Each structure stands twice: as C-alpha cells, then as structure tokens.
Amino acid sequence: MTTPEQKIEELGFTLPQPVAPVGSYVPTVRTGDLVYTSGQVPMLEGKLHQTGKLGVDLGVDEGKAQARICVLNALAALKGELGELSRVRRIVKLVVFVASAPEFTEQPQVANGASDLLAEVFGDQGRHARSAVGVASLPLDAPVEVELIAEVG
C-alpha cells in the first residue's frame, strides 16, 4: 500500500521540513483524535515563495500553486506531530485565506489548489469541509494561508 508520503512524491512534490513558527504559537495542537495546524504560508526553504494579492499581483493559477505549497507545509507540520501521515484518518476541515483585491471573487478556485492535493494524497479521506476567505492582507505579504484539522489514529 502506498503511504501518503510516497503519494506526495509520485505527484511530483516534496514534503518539506516543518516550518518553524515566526511568532508565539506552536505548529500543531492535538486534542483527542483531532490535530489542528497553525496557519501555513507558502514558505519554501525558509523563504516566502511569492508575495502579493490575488487579482493584482497574481492570477488564479499562481494562487492555486501557492495554496499547494501551503498545504504541503501543513502536512509537514502534521507529520512532525504524528511521525507519519498514514496516521491521518481523515482531513476534517480546511480553511484557506486569500489575500486579494476587493473585486476578486475567485477565492474558492484558489483554495482548490489545496483541496485537490489533499484528495489526491488521501483519497476519499482527504475530502473535507472548507472555507475560502478573501482578506485584505496576510503575514509577510503572503498571497495565501492555509490551516487544517485532521482526525488521527
């Protein structure tokens, strides 16, 4: 059976090391059989991959790519908590914040970058409830931020 880590590699992605917190928080909190991740921005190798707002500096496809980086960082945080992603029973909820121009209304399409990757990695257990929210700005001028809740065993 293919592990989630192997599936990520098969899809052409690399699971990064967990991103160190840049404030007074922890990457994950576990309560019972749920793990909550802190918000993850599109950090690659210690640097923000892209900055700016959707509808001004970036288009939907670029936003989707940034959302994928964010969700990979969230999965890295989960792996840091659990040791292996095969302990994830289900992705319960995904919240995607999209820094966007006031007239930009395609936040759900940007969020699909993260949602689709979770479904590819975990199959039906990766399908989740979701919120996609447009915001005026995000930390470090990130275009997208993702947090998730996972049921674990």
XYZ file of all heavy atoms in Angstrom, residues 15-115:
743
model
N 7.711 16.769 0.369
C 7.224 17.165 1.681
C 8.367 17.877 2.385
O 9.419 17.285 2.630
C 6.762 15.944 2.472
C 5.975 16.224 3.741
C 4.658 16.926 3.413
C 5.711 14.938 4.489
N 8.197 19.162 2.699
C 9.299 19.913 3.307
C 9.467 19.587 4.787
O 8.645 18.886 5.378
C 8.852 21.373 3.131
C 7.362 21.298 3.176
C 7.005 19.976 2.507
N 10.507 20.116 5.363
C 10.644 20.097 6.815
C 9.586 21.037 7.372
O 9.226 22.028 6.725
C 12.040 20.568 7.234
C 13.144 19.602 6.854
C 12.969 18.254 7.548
O 12.761 18.180 8.752
N 13.044 17.189 6.769
N 9.080 20.782 8.573
C 8.093 21.705 9.142
C 8.668 23.120 9.259
O 9.834 23.305 9.589
C 7.812 21.116 10.531
C 8.173 19.675 10.412
C 9.320 19.622 9.438
N 7.822 24.096 8.957
C 8.219 25.494 9.044
C 8.237 25.897 10.520
O 7.272 25.645 11.248
C 7.248 26.392 8.246
C 7.589 27.860 8.420
C 7.260 25.996 6.766
N 9.319 26.513 10.943
C 9.416 26.976 12.335
C 8.460 28.139 12.549
O 8.312 29.002 11.671
C 10.845 27.410 12.641
N 7.789 28.184 13.680
C 6.885 29.306 13.964
C 7.622 30.647 13.920
O 8.770 30.738 14.339
C 6.383 29.008 15.382
C 6.544 27.526 15.538
C 7.776 27.188 14.755
N 6.935 31.674 13.414
C 7.516 33.013 13.367
C 6.880 33.919 14.415
O 7.013 35.125 14.359
C 7.383 33.645 11.955
C 8.191 32.863 10.940
C 5.934 33.734 11.537
N 6.203 33.320 15.379
C 5.539 34.076 16.437
C 5.356 33.202 17.663
O 5.974 32.140 17.796
N 4.485 33.650 18.534
C 4.229 32.953 19.806
C 3.125 31.916 19.658
O 2.003 32.104 20.138
C 3.850 33.981 20.880
O 4.897 34.885 21.069
N 3.418 30.838 18.988
C 2.465 29.751 18.772
C 3.230 28.473 18.477
O 4.450 28.496 18.280
C 1.487 30.073 17.638
C 2.156 30.267 16.289
C 2.334 29.200 15.417
C 2.608 31.511 15.887
C 2.953 29.363 14.189
C 3.218 31.692 14.655
C 3.392 30.616 13.814
O 4.006 30.785 12.601
N 2.528 27.357 18.425
C 3.112 26.068 18.072
C 2.533 25.627 16.726
O 1.447 26.053 16.344
C 2.849 25.007 19.164
C 3.583 25.370 20.444
C 1.361 24.829 19.418
N 3.258 24.786 15.987
C 2.789 24.380 14.659
C 1.497 23.573 14.661
O 0.704 23.664 13.731
C 3.935 23.542 14.100
C 5.121 23.875 14.934
C 4.600 24.292 16.272
N 1.298 22.768 15.710
C 0.099 21.929 15.798
C -0.355 21.842 17.243
O 0.443 22.006 18.167
C 0.365 20.488 15.306
O 1.390 19.906 16.112
C 0.768 20.443 13.842
N -1.639 21.544 17.409
C -2.187 21.217 18.720
C -3.065 19.990 18.535
O -3.924 19.963 17.649
C -3.013 22.377 19.314
C -3.764 21.927 20.553
C -2.123 23.561 19.637
N -2.818 19.000 19.384
C -3.636 17.782 19.346
C -4.548 17.769 20.550
O -4.129 18.013 21.680
C -2.740 16.550 19.365
C -3.540 15.273 19.235
C -2.645 14.085 19.077
N -3.460 12.900 18.923
C -3.001 11.723 18.574
N -1.713 11.564 18.341
N -3.808 10.695 18.450
N -5.822 17.484 20.290
C -6.787 17.288 21.363
C -7.623 16.077 20.975
O -8.243 16.054 19.911
C -7.656 18.543 21.613
O -8.545 18.293 22.687
C -8.417 18.985 20.397
N -7.562 15.045 21.797
C -8.263 13.808 21.459
C -7.731 13.239 20.159
O -6.528 13.080 19.985
N -8.639 12.978 19.231
C -8.213 12.421 17.947
C -8.188 13.466 16.840
O -8.227 13.128 15.658
C -9.090 11.227 17.561
C -10.558 11.581 17.406
O -10.947 12.728 17.716
O -11.328 10.705 16.966
N -8.099 14.735 17.221
C -8.001 15.820 16.247
C -6.672 16.550 16.387
O -6.205 16.796 17.498
C -9.138 16.821 16.419
C -10.548 16.311 16.184
C -11.561 17.403 16.500
C -10.728 15.796 14.765
N -6.089 16.896 15.241
C -4.901 17.743 15.222
C -5.229 18.975 14.401
O -5.694 18.881 13.260
C -3.673 17.023 14.616
C -2.475 17.984 14.540
C -3.308 15.784 15.423
N -4.995 20.140 15.008
C -5.189 21.436 14.358
C -3.819 21.963 13.964
O -2.904 21.975 14.794
C -5.824 22.434 15.330
C -7.236 22.118 15.739
C -7.518 21.058 16.603
C -8.288 22.900 15.282
C -8.822 20.780 16.989
C -9.594 22.622 15.675
C -9.851 21.570 16.520
O -11.135 21.294 16.908
N -3.678 22.405 12.725
C -2.418 23.045 12.349
C -2.573 24.554 12.459
O -3.662 25.103 12.253
C -1.981 22.718 10.907
O -2.868 23.332 9.973
C -1.902 21.210 10.679
N -1.494 25.211 12.789
C -1.457 26.665 12.700
C -1.454 27.045 11.223
O -1.143 26.215 10.358
C -0.190 27.197 13.372
O -0.253 26.995 14.762
N -1.781 28.301 10.943
C -1.784 28.762 9.561
C -0.414 28.612 8.928
O 0.606 28.894 9.548
N -0.413 28.146 7.692
C 0.827 27.932 6.947
C 0.805 28.798 5.694
O -0.142 28.760 4.910
C 0.965 26.460 6.542
C 1.006 25.501 7.705
C 2.294 25.592 8.494
O 3.364 25.825 7.941
N 2.178 25.428 9.801
N 1.856 29.582 5.519
C 2.012 30.400 4.317
C 2.958 29.674 3.366
O 3.590 28.685 3.749
C 2.497 31.826 4.667
C 1.436 32.568 5.497
C 3.829 31.811 5.377
N 3.066 30.113 2.118
C 3.865 29.373 1.128
C 5.374 29.565 1.299
O 6.036 30.201 0.476
C 3.362 29.908 -0.210
C 2.886 31.282 0.090
C 2.331 31.219 1.484
N 5.910 29.004 2.370
C 7.352 29.057 2.621
C 8.032 27.889 1.912
O 7.570 26.750 2.006
C 7.642 28.973 4.115
C 7.054 30.095 4.939
S 7.826 31.673 4.657
C 9.186 31.587 5.785
N 9.108 28.201 1.227
C 9.962 27.187 0.614
C 11.387 27.481 1.038
O 11.878 28.601 0.820
C 9.889 27.244 -0.917
C 8.692 26.609 -1.586
C 8.760 26.824 -3.100
C 8.602 25.128 -1.279
N 12.028 26.487 1.651
C 13.426 26.618 2.076
C 13.652 27.891 2.894
O 14.612 28.621 2.686
C 14.347 26.559 0.862
C 14.228 25.237 0.118
C 15.054 25.168 -1.144
O 15.801 26.116 -1.450
O 14.942 24.153 -1.844
N 12.720 28.164 3.802
C 12.875 29.277 4.717
C 12.503 30.649 4.192
O 12.660 31.641 4.893
N 12.010 30.709 2.951
C 11.631 31.997 2.371
C 10.230 31.908 1.769
O 9.835 30.858 1.264
C 12.611 32.405 1.262
C 14.016 32.714 1.766
C 14.856 33.328 0.680
C 15.458 32.217 -0.155
N 16.431 32.664 -1.129
N 9.542 33.034 1.806
C 8.230 33.100 1.179
C 8.400 32.944 -0.332
O 9.209 33.641 -0.948
C 7.582 34.448 1.513
C 6.079 34.538 1.410
C 5.384 33.516 2.294
C 5.628 35.933 1.786
N 7.652 32.002 -0.920
C 7.804 31.710 -2.348
C 7.345 32.868 -3.224
O 7.998 33.207 -4.201
C 7.041 30.432 -2.701
C 7.211 30.003 -4.109
N 6.208 30.139 -5.040
C 8.272 29.461 -4.749
C 6.652 29.681 -6.202
N 7.892 29.263 -6.050
N 6.182 33.440 -2.908
C 5.664 34.593 -3.633
C 4.966 35.512 -2.653
O 4.504 35.078 -1.602
C 4.665 34.181 -4.722
C 5.327 33.706 -5.997
C 4.326 33.560 -7.134
O 3.463 32.697 -7.070
N 4.453 34.365 -8.147
N 4.872 36.773 -3.031
C 4.144 37.744 -2.229
C 3.090 38.398 -3.107
O 3.095 38.239 -4.327
C 5.076 38.840 -1.669
O 5.694 39.526 -2.767
C 6.142 38.256 -0.762
N 2.192 39.139 -2.477
C 1.223 39.920 -3.233
C -0.200 39.454 -3.050
O -0.493 38.571 -2.247
N -1.065 40.082 -3.822
C -2.502 39.837 -3.730
C -3.033 39.222 -5.014
O -2.607 39.575 -6.112
C -3.229 41.148 -3.458
C -2.940 41.712 -2.081
C -3.768 42.943 -1.812
C -3.577 43.501 -0.428
N -2.344 43.258 0.241
N -4.017 38.354 -4.838
C -4.707 37.771 -5.984
C -5.572 38.856 -6.616
O -6.190 39.656 -5.911
C -5.571 36.588 -5.553
C -4.870 35.241 -5.432
C -4.497 34.684 -6.780
C -3.685 35.250 -4.514
N -5.577 38.882 -7.934
C -6.346 39.891 -8.647
C -5.567 41.176 -8.882
O -6.040 42.070 -9.575
N -4.368 41.263 -8.300
C -3.496 42.419 -8.514
C -2.145 41.926 -9.018
O -1.714 42.263 -10.114
C -3.299 43.246 -7.222
C -2.323 44.393 -7.443
C -4.625 43.766 -6.691
N -1.480 41.119 -8.187
C -0.128 40.650 -8.488
C -0.086 39.224 -9.015
O 0.872 38.843 -9.683
C 0.734 40.714 -7.212
C 0.686 42.074 -6.547
O 1.059 43.062 -7.198
O 0.238 42.138 -5.382
N -1.090 38.431 -8.680
C -1.110 37.024 -9.059
C -2.477 36.651 -9.613
O -3.494 37.208 -9.200
C -0.840 36.118 -7.846
C 0.517 36.206 -7.177
C 0.447 37.141 -5.997
C 0.931 34.836 -6.712
N -2.462 35.662 -10.511
C -3.699 35.122 -11.053
C -4.114 33.862 -10.313
O -3.409 33.383 -9.416
N -5.237 33.311 -10.704
C -5.792 32.131 -10.033
C -4.821 30.956 -10.061
O -4.609 30.293 -9.048
C -7.158 31.740 -10.644
C -7.628 30.393 -10.116
C -8.191 32.812 -10.357
N -4.205 30.679 -11.201
C -3.293 29.532 -11.278
C -2.099 29.702 -10.348
O -1.673 28.743 -9.702
C -2.824 29.295 -12.716
C -3.931 28.732 -13.592
O -4.901 28.160 -13.057
O -3.818 28.862 -14.831
N -1.570 30.923 -10.263
C -0.468 31.178 -9.330
C -0.944 31.014 -7.891
O -0.233 30.458 -7.048
C 0.087 32.585 -9.526
C 0.807 32.777 -10.856
C 1.076 34.239 -11.138
O 0.103 35.026 -11.189
O 2.261 34.588 -11.291
N -2.153 31.465 -7.605
C -2.717 31.303 -6.274
C -2.906 29.844 -5.908
O -2.633 29.443 -4.765
N -3.372 29.034 -6.864
C -3.534 27.602 -6.611
C -2.192 26.954 -6.279
O -2.098 26.125 -5.375
C -4.154 26.917 -7.831
C -5.614 27.232 -8.039
C -6.120 26.714 -9.357
C -6.543 25.280 -9.254
N -7.288 24.831 -10.457
N -1.148 27.352 -7.002
C 0.190 26.813 -6.736
C 0.651 27.206 -5.335
O 1.251 26.389 -4.616
C 1.180 27.305 -7.794
N 0.362 28.437 -4.919
C 0.736 28.876 -3.577
C -0.056 28.116 -2.511
O 0.483 27.753 -1.467
C 0.517 30.381 -3.428
C 1.375 31.222 -4.363
C 2.849 30.863 -4.300
O 3.490 31.034 -3.268
N 3.379 30.334 -5.383
N -1.321 27.828 -2.791
C -2.144 27.052 -1.863
C -1.601 25.632 -1.707
O -1.632 25.066 -0.609
C -3.599 27.030 -2.328
N -1.077 25.055 -2.786
C -0.478 23.718 -2.704
C 0.758 23.742 -1.795
O 0.958 22.843 -0.979
C -0.112 23.193 -4.091
C -1.287 22.646 -4.853
C -0.864 21.907 -6.107
N -0.296 22.790 -7.115
C -0.995 23.452 -8.036
N -2.302 23.322 -8.088
N -0.408 24.225 -8.912
N 1.590 24.781 -1.943
C 2.768 24.894 -1.076
C 2.325 24.998 0.381
O 2.892 24.354 1.264
C 3.633 26.102 -1.485
C 4.216 25.898 -2.891
C 4.753 26.329 -0.462
C 4.850 27.141 -3.486
N 1.302 25.807 0.634
C 0.789 25.966 1.998
C 0.329 24.635 2.569
O 0.630 24.309 3.729
C -0.381 26.954 2.022
S 0.027 28.657 1.642
N -0.420 23.864 1.790
C -0.953 22.608 2.318
C 0.162 21.585 2.510
O 0.113 20.783 3.442
C -2.136 22.076 1.473
C -1.695 21.211 0.311
C -3.109 21.309 2.350
N 1.193 21.628 1.685
C 2.343 20.753 1.919
C 3.020 21.125 3.243
O 3.441 20.245 3.992
C 3.339 20.841 0.752
C 2.887 20.130 -0.524
C 3.780 20.536 -1.691
C 2.881 18.612 -0.348
N 3.097 22.416 3.539
C 3.654 22.842 4.830
C 2.769 22.385 5.990
O 3.272 21.991 7.048
C 3.862 24.353 4.853
C 5.045 24.771 4.007
O 6.009 24.031 3.851
N 4.977 25.966 3.450
N 1.457 22.425 5.803
C 0.545 21.933 6.838
C 0.726 20.428 7.032
O 0.715 19.932 8.169
C -0.902 22.263 6.481
N 0.901 19.691 5.946
C 1.138 18.246 6.058
C 2.474 17.966 6.736
O 2.597 17.003 7.505
C 1.068 17.586 4.681
C -0.320 17.566 4.039
C -0.249 16.994 2.626
C -1.310 16.797 4.895
N 3.474 18.801 6.487
C 4.767 18.644 7.166
C 4.595 18.846 8.672
O 5.187 18.118 9.474
C 5.789 19.621 6.597
N 3.775 19.838 9.052
C 3.502 20.058 10.477
C 2.786 18.850 11.072
O 3.115 18.406 12.188
C 2.675 21.330 10.663
N 1.818 18.302 10.328
C 1.122 17.088 10.797
C 2.096 15.933 10.978
O 2.048 15.223 11.978
C 0.050 16.673 9.785
C -1.341 17.223 9.926
C -2.234 16.675 8.817
C -1.934 16.924 11.283
N 2.959 15.744 9.999
C 3.943 14.662 10.097
C 4.847 14.881 11.297
O 5.198 13.925 11.997
C 4.759 14.545 8.818
C 5.742 13.392 8.880
C 6.445 13.135 7.589
C 7.432 11.998 7.817
N 7.847 11.357 6.600
N 5.225 16.135 11.554
C 6.036 16.432 12.729
C 5.342 16.043 14.023
O 5.977 15.600 14.975
N 4.041 16.183 14.060
C 3.248 15.820 15.242
C 3.059 14.309 15.345
O 3.122 13.734 16.428
C 1.884 16.509 15.179
C 0.905 16.105 16.249
C 1.247 16.636 17.636
O 1.916 17.673 17.748
O 0.829 16.002 18.612
N 2.813 13.660 14.206
C 2.390 12.255 14.196
C 3.504 11.258 13.903
O 3.348 10.074 14.189
C 1.294 12.055 13.143
C 0.039 12.892 13.303
C -0.856 12.741 12.076
C -0.687 12.522 14.582
N 4.576 11.713 13.275
C 5.641 10.795 12.878
C 5.468 10.265 11.473
O 6.427 10.108 10.738
N 4.225 9.997 11.082
C 3.936 9.533 9.717
C 2.502 9.913 9.350
O 1.604 9.886 10.199
C 4.161 8.034 9.573
C 3.345 7.185 10.515
C 3.695 5.718 10.419
O 4.863 5.368 10.618
O 2.770 4.935 10.132
N 2.311 10.257 8.083
C 0.994 10.723 7.637
C -0.019 9.595 7.503
O -1.220 9.863 7.396
C 1.122 11.489 6.318
C 1.864 12.820 6.432
C 2.032 13.453 5.049
C 1.140 13.774 7.369
N 0.422 8.352 7.530
C -0.535 7.244 7.458
C -1.411 7.190 8.710
O -2.426 6.499 8.733
C 0.186 5.911 7.249
O 1.069 5.665 8.318
N -1.076 7.956 9.743
C -1.913 8.020 10.948
C -3.102 8.964 10.769
O -3.983 9.010 11.627
C -1.061 8.442 12.143
C -0.012 7.365 12.476
C 0.757 7.646 13.721
N -0.136 7.796 14.855
C 0.206 8.450 15.951
N 1.389 9.020 16.065
N -0.649 8.560 16.955
N -3.129 9.692 9.653
C -4.276 10.562 9.363
C -5.434 9.692 8.898
O -5.319 8.962 7.913
C -3.918 11.619 8.284
C -5.156 12.399 7.858
C -2.836 12.555 8.805
N -6.555 9.759 9.608
C -7.759 9.020 9.210
C -8.585 9.818 8.215
O -9.230 9.255 7.342
C -8.626 8.719 10.431
C -8.075 7.680 11.338
C -9.092 7.358 12.413
N -8.502 6.505 13.421
C -8.858 6.499 14.678
N -9.829 7.295 15.106
N -8.270 5.707 15.537
N -8.587 11.129 8.419
C -9.419 11.983 7.569
C -8.984 13.424 7.744
O -8.648 13.860 8.832
C -10.873 11.832 7.974
C -11.765 12.885 7.424
C -13.227 12.584 7.519
N -13.780 13.267 6.364
C -14.356 12.694 5.351
N -14.541 11.422 5.342
N -14.801 13.395 4.348
N -9.028 14.176 6.634
C -8.907 15.623 6.720
C -10.329 16.125 6.962
O -11.227 15.900 6.146
C -8.317 16.237 5.439
C -6.933 15.637 5.125
C -8.256 17.759 5.555
C -5.867 15.864 6.172
N -10.549 16.755 8.100
C -11.887 17.162 8.507
C -12.252 18.523 7.925
O -13.325 18.701 7.354
C -11.991 17.202 10.051
C -13.353 17.709 10.498
C -11.697 15.825 10.633
N -11.350 19.495 8.066
C -11.673 20.870 7.667
C -10.424 21.550 7.142
O -9.333 21.376 7.679
C -12.206 21.642 8.888
C -12.466 23.112 8.676
C -13.841 23.388 8.140
C -14.014 24.866 7.843
N -15.208 25.445 8.326
N -10.618 22.338 6.100
C -9.566 23.158 5.515
C -10.063 24.591 5.484
O -11.205 24.847 5.085
C -9.256 22.680 4.084
C -8.201 23.451 3.314
C -6.815 23.192 3.894
C -8.232 23.054 1.847
N -9.225 25.513 5.939
C -9.538 26.938 5.842
C -8.437 27.578 5.012
O -7.249 27.388 5.296
C -9.624 27.610 7.229
C -9.970 29.089 7.076
C -10.653 26.907 8.106
N -8.843 28.307 3.969
C -7.894 28.958 3.065
C -8.183 30.448 3.067
O -9.290 30.875 2.742
C -8.005 28.382 1.636
C -6.997 29.050 0.712
C -7.817 26.862 1.644
N -7.181 31.222 3.459
C -7.257 32.674 3.431
C -6.527 33.152 2.189
O -5.388 32.733 1.938
C -6.604 33.276 4.679
C -7.226 32.818 5.964
C -6.687 31.758 6.677
C -8.356 33.449 6.459
C -7.255 31.333 7.865
C -8.946 33.027 7.645
C -8.396 31.969 8.351
N -7.177 34.026 1.418
C -6.609 34.511 0.167
C -6.507 36.032 0.234
O -7.535 36.719 0.312
C -7.483 34.083 -1.040
C -6.864 34.560 -2.345
C -7.671 32.567 -1.052
N -5.289 36.545 0.218
C -5.093 37.993 0.162
C -5.472 38.429 -1.240
O -4.899 37.961 -2.226
C -3.641 38.351 0.464
N -6.472 39.294 -1.334
C -6.996 39.590 -2.664
C -7.535 41.007 -2.768
O -7.882 41.634 -1.767
C -8.092 38.581 -3.033
O -9.021 38.393 -2.001
N -7.590 41.458 -3.999
C -8.178 42.755 -4.307
C -9.664 42.704 -3.952
O -10.278 41.637 -3.997
C -8.001 43.064 -5.788
N -10.265 43.854 -3.615
C -11.680 43.868 -3.224
C -12.615 43.250 -4.263
O -13.597 42.611 -3.903
C -11.988 45.351 -3.026
C -10.674 45.969 -2.717
C -9.653 45.182 -3.497
N -12.299 43.400 -5.530
C -13.186 42.876 -6.578
C -12.896 41.419 -6.947
O -13.624 40.809 -7.726
C -13.112 43.758 -7.825
C -11.770 43.793 -8.525
C -10.743 44.747 -7.894
O -11.078 45.493 -6.948
O -9.588 44.718 -8.342
N -11.855 40.823 -6.373
C -11.503 39.430 -6.660
C -12.492 38.508 -5.945
O -12.711 38.635 -4.736
C -10.073 39.132 -6.189
C -9.582 37.769 -6.561
C -9.092 37.513 -7.826
C -9.610 36.733 -5.636
C -8.629 36.251 -8.169
C -9.158 35.473 -5.963
C -8.663 35.224 -7.234
N -13.111 37.598 -6.695
C -14.125 36.702 -6.117
C -13.835 35.221 -6.371
O -14.714 34.382 -6.187
C -15.522 37.040 -6.675
O -15.496 36.884 -8.100
C -15.941 38.457 -6.298
N -12.613 34.900 -6.760
C -12.292 33.522 -7.109
C -11.512 32.800 -6.012
O -10.745 31.879 -6.282
C -11.540 33.504 -8.436
C -12.408 34.023 -9.580
C -11.674 34.055 -10.889
O -11.709 33.005 -11.574
O -11.062 35.088 -11.204
N -11.743 33.183 -4.761
C -11.090 32.508 -3.641
C -11.333 30.999 -3.659
O -10.398 30.235 -3.387
C -11.547 33.116 -2.303
C -11.043 34.513 -2.045
C -11.923 35.603 -2.647
O -12.918 35.334 -3.305
N -11.547 36.851 -2.416
N -12.551 30.526 -3.968
C -12.749 29.065 -3.994
C -11.867 28.348 -5.020
O -11.381 27.242 -4.755
C -14.232 28.916 -4.354
C -14.857 30.179 -3.857
C -13.827 31.244 -4.124
N -11.625 28.975 -6.163
C -10.762 28.350 -7.168
C -9.320 28.285 -6.680
O -8.621 27.294 -6.908
C -10.854 29.094 -8.509
C -12.163 28.892 -9.234
C -13.313 29.704 -8.649
O -13.130 30.624 -7.858
N -14.528 29.357 -9.038
N -8.870 29.331 -5.994
C -7.526 29.315 -5.405
C -7.447 28.195 -4.370
O -6.492 27.407 -4.357
C -7.187 30.690 -4.773
C -5.896 30.609 -3.970
C -7.091 31.767 -5.851
N -8.444 28.085 -3.521
C -8.467 27.056 -2.476
C -8.458 25.651 -3.058
O -7.970 24.713 -2.409
C -9.685 27.258 -1.581
N -8.971 25.485 -4.279
C -8.962 24.165 -4.908
C -7.544 23.616 -5.058
O -7.354 22.396 -5.082
C -9.644 24.206 -6.270
C -11.150 24.262 -6.164
O -11.722 24.003 -5.110
N -11.795 24.628 -7.253
N -6.545 24.492 -5.150
C -5.168 24.007 -5.222
C -4.823 23.146 -4.021
O -4.209 22.089 -4.149
N -5.246 23.574 -2.841
C -5.003 22.807 -1.618
C -5.952 21.615 -1.520
O -5.532 20.489 -1.216
C -5.156 23.708 -0.400
N -7.238 21.842 -1.775
C -8.242 20.775 -1.651
C -7.949 19.613 -2.584
O -8.027 18.441 -2.183
C -9.638 21.328 -1.952
O -10.055 22.208 -0.947
